[in-house]
Amino acid sequence: MARIIVVTSGKGGVGKTTSSAAIGLGLALKGNKVVLIDFDIGLRNLDLIMGCERRVVYDFVNVINGEATLNQALIKDKRVSSLSILPASQTRDKDALNKENVGKVLEDLGKLYDYIICDSPAGIEAGAMMALYYADEAIVTTNPEVSSVRDSDRILGMLASRSRRAELGLDPIKEHLLLTRYSPKRVEEGEMLSVEDVEDILSIPLLGVIPESQAVLKASNAGEPVILDTESDAGKAYQDVVDRLLGETVDFRFLVAEKKGIFSRMFGG
Amino acid sequence: MADASIEFKGTSFTLSVLHLKTSDLADIRADLVNKVAQAPDFFYLVPIVVNIEKLDCSIDYQAIKTLIEELNFTFVGFTGSVTKEQRKLIRDLGFSFVNTTKVNTSQKAAIVEEVVTAKTEKIVEAPQSPLYTDKVHRGQIRSGQQVYAKDQNLVIIGSVSAGAEVIADGNIHVYGSLRGRAIAGAQGHHKAQIYCQKLEAELVSINGNYWLSESMEQHWGSPVYIHLTDSELTSSKLI
């Protein structure tokens, strides 16, 4: 059975799509068969981050409505052949999805892939509920600031009460905390919540901490998921996240501000 | 509207009824003083209706009222199944007469008996809090979630997140941080208390008296319990 993982947050702009793309590609690079689904119907973004926006012919809603087959809609990644993308529709809205049809699509995909990554839209409305309903695991993406943490808390409540697992009384969704845009320097200056603060409030296991990095914006604009930028801190941190998802124990990096050494001071880092 | 400032509504109350078996004021006083001594706080200013149906007509209504008030009860009026004339007499003297629901005479004796025994038992129990069972919730209560323990105490093994709400008719115990809202004694219970391991609440309320975060500075972040003393919220450290 495929692992269905929803990448969710409640709040918008915290890095759900960036994380979905990086984690999906990372899992595929490790030899897993992965499909990324964009649940943000009407605000399609995942195709841009993945760099396949010019190859979208059919989308998720076409498949739901029976206007296209899964094979027609799935876009194979040009970098890794075991990765596919199911893009969202840009012209429809979130009411185009319903539980039965989404369940059917996920069931079909489950036969073909090891991992199904659902990139959730922001908010707590129908679209986000649809993305998390069938999940086995959830990556709760959170920025280290109070409003993002509170929205994540709200989503955690939804995961525990509104998912299929909750409705059927099965084992609860396995929750992971992914802290993005983390700046150790600003934490030290007291401008940002620390990892400990966020863990204390949300009390779910930490999957990864992605440092604030210029590389992320560059990667998004280029359509190359940041995990491919193996020199960047963010790329390395996403690699750690993938390893942890695959069951490895990896120490957390990038949690303390780098002290500038004499050389970097002299040559400007 | 002409009478927007007031509104009349009918509501049922449980009132203590004092059944008089003799018109001898000295005997009544002695027994009453004796009774009050058992639980002075409970009887203080308690509204009392006096049932006079076992007495003959020739009683001193004013003297009874004075006696009742001297012993720090609040006198409400007279009651009992009496003749129309007697009822009119009571009204004419300036006292209110409280009508009871009709019961037939054979039942009446039994009920009167019951009321008297129930009342004697109540004297011992009444000053204590009502006995509530516990509703236990395991796990964190997340933002946007609400848990209500109706006619129960609420025990939470986990934290209450900011934006979450926990409500109980009895006490609230949080084995974790209290960051959301906690409302104890929701249906009116002034002895309700709130316990938590870390106080960081948005709001706490007991029996309608509430505090916002700014009033909790003294014990912010500490393990505390919150209770009412003379209608004022008070927090005390647990450890």
Side-chain angles (χ1 to χ4, degrees), chain A residues 57-103:
Chain A
V57 182
Y58 294 106
D59 58 49
F60 195 8
V61 175
N62 294 136
V63 178
I64 292 277
N65 293 343
E67 295 152 5
T69 64
L70 259 179
N71 272 333
Q72 286 175 303
L74 286 169
I75 304 170
K76 252 193 173 31
D77 190 84
K78 282 195 168 163
R79 294 154 293 217
V80 197
S81 62
S82 62
L83 175 66
S84 300
I85 295 111
L86 184 56
S89 170
Q90 182 70 358
T91 51
R92 306 292 292 271
D93 62 34
K94 288 167 179 79
D95 300 329
L97 302 181
N98 67 60
K99 265 184 200 168
E100 289 71 38
N101 294 347
V102 170

Side-chain angles (χ1 to χ4, degrees), chain B residues 190 192 206 209-211 226-235:
Chain B
H190 70 282
I206 297 173
N209 304 277
Y210 69 92
W211 266 354
I226 298 161
H227 50 100
L228 277 181
T229 31
D230 303 330
S231 299
E232 292 272 336
L233 282 177
T234 318
S235 63

